[in-house]
Amino acid sequence: MPDSNTSDFTNPSTFILLGIPGLEAAHVWISIPFSAMYAIAILGSFTVLFIVKIEPSLHEPMYYFLCMLAVTDLVMSTSIVPKTLSIFWFNSREIDFSACLTQMYFIHCASAMESGIFVAMALDRYVAICHPLRHSTILTNPMVAKIGLAVVLRSGLLALPLPFLIRQWPYCRTNIIPEPFCSHIAVVKLACADTRISSYYGLFVLFCVMGLDVIFISMSYTQILRAIFKLPTKDARLKTLGTCTSHLCVILGFYIPGLFSSLMYRFGQNVAVHFHVLIANICLLLPPMLNPIIYGVMTRQIRDRLLRLFTQKGP
């Protein structure tokens, strides 16, 4: 392989992904939990999609949004893990420049979609609890389709400028990325130009997606909790709150690791590189693995239908 560290180039044909820098000798062992997380994410997401498809009682807005979440989890994990495993198993570190930008786009697009779906789910819970008699008239199938389309368009359009901005920068330092996938900030750091526009736009996307979505979700749950505390009995309050438990768990499982990784990236200058990269990968792979488990275990309708699927020969 030619020396890529000091070559003078402005448009690299490939980038070199290092995997987990400093832990190259343990790549095969690290691949075991990565493979397990990916397998659970794939199996769990397809199971959720299958259960919702075959069970007519689950053809409701909440479960349509859950199916969107499952598809997004599939896109997120598949954008990262196959290439990561090829590095761990076969030392296949090269990635084409265009393929790198494509991977980056899908990672950031899927992340934004996941956040948007949580907002849609929060809206569904708000209408179901605060306006239960109007739930079926407000969240009709056409309205659910429009919300889903809005989430997809917002995510796709916001993430689209990221690779186009990166494509125009010259790269004259190195083409080595100290990670197992192409993240936006890692590629921007390789450019030998004033990349403030890319950095500012990345922060803008982060605010438009994570910041606004957290605000909308918080507003929804403020109203939801007010409605719950107005219920006459403790049992009614607990039962109503229980319908939000799985949603709250997946929200925490998505935003808390992301916040932790972001804070560590910005303020953990003394943290070892391999630890930072490892945590960043786990933060991206954890939600796709946990989401179907949380909904499968904590949502009675899905759990009961899954049990019937294994205990009966027919549906």
Side-chain angles (χ1 to χ4, degrees):
M1 182 182 298
D3 183 13
S4 305
N5 289 319
T6 58
S7 300
D8 292 328
F9 53 88
T10 56
N11 294 298
S13 59
T14 61
F15 283 117
I16 308 298
L17 302 172
L18 293 186
I20 313 294
L23 296 180
E24 288 84 358
H27 273 176
V28 174
W29 295 106
I30 297 172
S31 71
I32 296 175
F34 273 59
S35 302
M37 294 171 74
Y38 184 51
I40 293 171
I42 295 293
L43 180 62
S45 296
F46 275 116
T47 300
V48 168
L49 291 171
F50 178 71
I51 292 297
V52 173
K53 181 180 185 299
I54 66 173
E55 181 54 53
S57 66
L58 299 181
H59 295 175
E60 298 177 356
M62 173 183 172
Y63 300 103
Y64 292 146
F65 293 137
L66 180 57
C67 288
M68 287 186 61
L69 183 64
V71 172
T72 305
D73 286 338
L74 289 171
V75 173
M76 171 69 82
S77 54
T78 303
S79 298
I80 297 172
V81 178
K83 180 58 182 178
T84 299
L85 293 181
S86 72
I87 296 171
F88 290 167
W89 290 342
F90 310 114
N91 203 32
S92 176
R93 300 184 177 189
E94 289 191 4
I95 183 170
D96 183 76
F97 183 71
S98 296
C100 181
L101 298 187
T102 301
Q103 183 189 49
M104 177 202 308
Y105 173 78
F106 278 106
I107 290 173
H108 290 280
C109 182
S111 181
M113 276 188 62
E114 191 141 343
S115 184
I117 293 168
F118 290 144
V119 175
M121 288 178 161
L123 174 64
D124 173 73
R125 291 298 85 205
Y126 165 75
V127 176
I129 292 172
C130 298
H131 305 282
L133 298 180
R134 300 174 56 197
H135 184 264
S136 59
T137 57
I138 295 176
L139 288 178
T140 60
N141 286 344
M143 179 56 69
V144 170
K146 290 177 182 177
I147 293 173
L149 181 61
V151 170
V152 172
L153 288 178
R154 184 195 71 156
S155 307
L157 292 176
L158 280 176
L160 193 59
L162 295 175
F164 281 101
L165 287 172
I166 283 177
R167 183 178 285 276
Q168 63 182 332
W169 304 131
Y171 296 87
C172 54
R173 296 193 186 106
T174 180
N175 64 340
I176 294 178
I177 299 175
E179 295 183 9
F181 60 87
C182 294
S183 66
H184 174 253
I185 192 65
V187 178
V188 167
K189 282 186 172 183
L190 301 183
C192 54
D194 185 355
T195 59
R196 282 181 294 180
I197 186 172
S198 281
S199 300
Y200 291 156
Y201 185 75
L203 290 174
F204 169 75
V205 171
L206 186 65
F207 173 75
C208 283
V209 175
M210 302 295 182
L212 292 180
D213 288 354
V214 168
I215 292 173
F216 289 141
I217 292 171
S218 301
M219 291 172 58
S220 295
Y221 270 94
T222 299
Q223 297 299 317
I224 287 171
L225 291 175
R226 288 178 61 185
I228 288 175
F229 287 130
K230 289 180 181 179
L231 294 174
T233 65
K234 181 179 178 181
D235 288 342
R237 290 193 290 268
L238 291 176
K239 183 178 180 180
T240 305
L241 186 61
T243 63
C244 303
T245 304
S246 53
H247 183 227
L248 287 170
C249 288
V250 295
I251 287 175
L252 295 176
F254 176 77
Y255 287 111
I256 289 179
L259 178 62
F260 175 76
S261 178
S262 178
L263 291 175
M264 187 177 69
Y265 186 87
R266 284 166 174 78
F267 304 109
Q269 287 84 2
N270 297 326
V271 177
V273 175
H274 64 267
F275 182 77
H276 169 74
V277 174
L278 198 58
I279 293 299
N281 277 263
I282 292 174
C283 287
L284 285 174
L285 294 178
L286 202 59
M289 180 190 74
L290 290 180
N291 291 343
I293 295 176
I294 291 171
Y295 271 101
V297 171
M298 304 185 72
T299 306
R300 180 181 56 80
Q301 293 90 332
I302 294 179
R303 185 176 66 247
D304 291 348
R305 189 61 183 88
L306 187 60
L307 290 174
R308 292 209 314 273
L309 189 66
F310 286 106
T311 56
Q312 297 178 3
K313 293 183 178 179

